[in-house]
Amino acid sequence: MSTPLRFDGRVAIVTGAGRGLGRAYAEFLARRGAAVIVNDPGLSAAGDAVSNSRGPADECVAAIVAAGGTAAASYESVAHSAGAVAIAAQALRDFGRLDVLINNAGIGLDRPFAETSAADFERLLGVHFMGTALMCQAAWDTMRTAGYGRIVNTTSSAIFGYANCSAYAAAKGAILAFSRSLALEGAPANIAVNCISPAAATRMTAGVGMDPAQRAWMERELPPAAVAPVAAYLAHESCTLRGEVLSAAGGSVRRYLIGETAGFRAQDLTPEILADNLARILDPRSFAAFASASEAVARGQALDRQPIGSAVTPPG
Ligand code: NAD
């Protein structure tokens, strides 16, 4: 059996850690030795300000301490610069360092595009994307100076397309592109930035239209605790991944791949020629995944150097 991956001496921030997935991450890291800042302003599922409560963060901290772990509560919102700066500063003040940042805080919105307002887009992008970016910014200098950091950002299968959730999906897509770019910048300073795409029975998924049998299945098969080991792996010193997305649900772990097919090229391309060659353009057998825009451009240029009309050889 391999050596247990522990976090002794490490300090972690988990945002939105008062309930659901964040709480499972915070409890897992604390059990493995980390001191954890449990951040949660106790918002409603839709993120309206009227429902702020210290209860969720306090309950998570109490559970960690009762189990012999170390944690402190933070009630700031990640969606504002001042809140993000205060959360990062609290890690340094309470525990003297900052090694791990898990950006998990989130709100939901199940609404057709036609009924989604500008304020809805701003709220969703504000918590998910700005919250993630501001927290990374607040932690960045500390991690760069230390020459060490582990950042886990939260995306979602919504990036594949999710009807009636366009604002949520957009925010999760922004996090994905942001994280892959930040991973490239962080790598030289030994800051690993990756994403988790979780699925679990939480308050957020309870709001999604589901029949009672489906809900019961989800609660039985997809507990938040089953996702925590994936977040912990990405947060661990031994993690060599950079800019990856691991999906996690009920003990399953998978990888998202982002790339392009080899496609088709014509000297004098017209829409008609494109239409005639659509099957070749879409053919997933010539798919290649990329870790960066420069890898994508390099492959495109290599393909463009091949003679026009030459067959594209599918891999394998
Ligand atoms: P949840 O509603 O149970 O917990 C989210 C927590 O985030 C809440 O406690 C809430 O108070 C907190 N929060 C909201 N706004 C905040 C803010 N501005 N600052 C700090 N904290 C804030 O939801 P969950 O299912 O545990 O979701 C956790 C994360 O996982 C979210 O980012 C969500 O989008 C993502 N996710 C969840 C699922 C799933 O199946 N549950 C699927 C895909 C992605």
Side-chain angles (χ1 to χ4, degrees), residues 126-138:
V127 173
H128 288 279
F129 171 63
M130 287 308 293
T132 298
L134 292 172
M135 283 304 307
C136 288
Q137 227 167 22

Side-chain angles (χ1 to χ4, degrees), residues 88-111:
Q90 190 182 342
L92 299 181
R93 192 183 66 233
D94 289 1
F95 300 128
R97 54 189 295 141
L98 174 55
D99 305 287
V100 172
L101 169 61
I102 301 186
N103 285 308
N104 162 79
I107 55 176
L109 186 69
D110 205 358
R111 188 167 293 173

Side-chain angles (χ1 to χ4, degrees), residues 46 107-109 119-129 167-168 171:
I107 55 176
L109 186 69
D120 290 333
F121 274 102
E122 280 167 10
R123 197 173 66 259
L124 270 287
L125 270 289
V127 173
H128 288 279
F129 171 63
Y168 178 82

Side-chain angles (χ1 to χ4, degrees), residues 19-21 198-206 210 214-225 227 249-250:
R19 48 169 88 80
L21 286 157
T202 65
R203 179 183 68 166
M204 186 175 283
T205 44
M210 223 183 274
Q214 277 176 308
R215 183 71 201 162
W217 174 86
M218 199 167 180
E219 279 178 7
R220 196 177 60 248
E221 302 293 334
L222 305 184
V227 173

Side-chain angles (χ1 to χ4, degrees), residues 5-11 29 32-35 100 232-233 235-237:
L5 303 187
R6 292 200 49 90
F7 292 84
D8 303 298
R10 296 289 186 197
V11 173
L29 294 181
R32 298 283 181 118
V100 172
Y233 173 75
H236 194 263
E237 189 175 352

Side-chain angles (χ1 to χ4, degrees), residues 216-285:
W217 174 86
M218 199 167 180
E219 279 178 7
R220 196 177 60 248
E221 302 293 334
L222 305 184
V227 173
V230 182
Y233 173 75
L234 294 173
H236 194 263
E237 189 175 352
S238 64
C239 175
T240 52
L241 305 181
R242 304 288 185 270
E244 294 283 348
V245 182
L246 296 185
S247 71
S252 298
V253 190
R254 301 190 176 91
R255 180 192 191 188
Y256 285 9
L257 288 172
I258 297 169
E260 206 172 46
T261 64
F264 166 82
R265 178 165 167 257
Q267 188 70 57
D268 298 304
L269 186 65
T270 63
E272 294 75 22
I273 296 176
L274 187 159
D276 287 346
N277 287 279
L278 198 54
R280 197 163 147 195
I281 294 164
L282 300 185
D283 188 349
R285 288 174 302 167

Side-chain angles (χ1 to χ4, degrees), residues 44-55:
S44 70
D48 40 37
V50 286
S51 58
N52 284 30
S53 155
R54 295 185 161 214

